[in-house]
Amino acid sequence: MAKRCPDDVVIGAGTVLDPEACARLADLDAPLVITPNTDPKVIGQAVELDLAPMIGCMTPTEALAAARAGASALKLFPAARLGIGYFRDMSAVLPADMPVFAVGGIDQSNMSEWITAGIDGFGFGGSIYRPGWSAKEVERCARGLVAEWCRVKEGLAQADGLEREADA
């Protein structure tokens, strides 16, 4: 799959639990390593193999440990249950250049508030696929999520432009 995708598409695996899985991903040209937890051994192996570790975390302690170990990005889980206030509080102590993705309970109805709060992206599960859904249903949901992302980002860019004009 990685060899057939455009250069701007990153392929990888989720629920990576051990360093050996990183070696398998490197062999497949699939650089994205997504974990459900903060395991320094997995992060270290991913970094050593020049992969992109997106590390699952829930607490500031886990997030900072992942950042120190070389994480490329953080996966805040379960995001919707923790809430936007929790994300804002946690991000205050994170490195400013560390991307954070919200995963768990995110759908088209709550994306806007997360984007406005500064989240860098999302991981979608049940909001994009459920067992038994047809390819058309998955496509419809995926298009809706992408459209909402674009709508909110465009609105924020316009607001930023207006603010800059007012300051000038």
Side-chain angles (χ1 to χ4, degrees), residues 111 115 120-122 145-154:
M111 285 175 66
I115 295 168
D120 295 291
F122 302 100
L145 293 166
V146 170
E148 179 65 0
W149 173 269
C150 292
R151 183 191 72 76
V152 174
K153 290 301 242 181
E154 184 177 311

Side-chain angles (χ1 to χ4, degrees), residues 10-13 16 22 25 30-57 63 65-75 98-101:
V10 181
I11 303 293
V16 174
C22 294
L25 288 169
L32 187 58
V33 176
I34 303 174
T35 71
N37 62 333
T38 302
D39 183 336
K41 290 179 183 174
V42 171
I43 300 167
Q45 181 68 7
V47 169
E48 184 177 313
L49 294 170
D50 201 28
L51 303 176
M54 178 184 280
I55 303 305
C57 61
R68 276 193 303 277
S72 297
L74 302 175
K75 178 184 98 171
M98 178 59 68
V100 180
F101 291 72

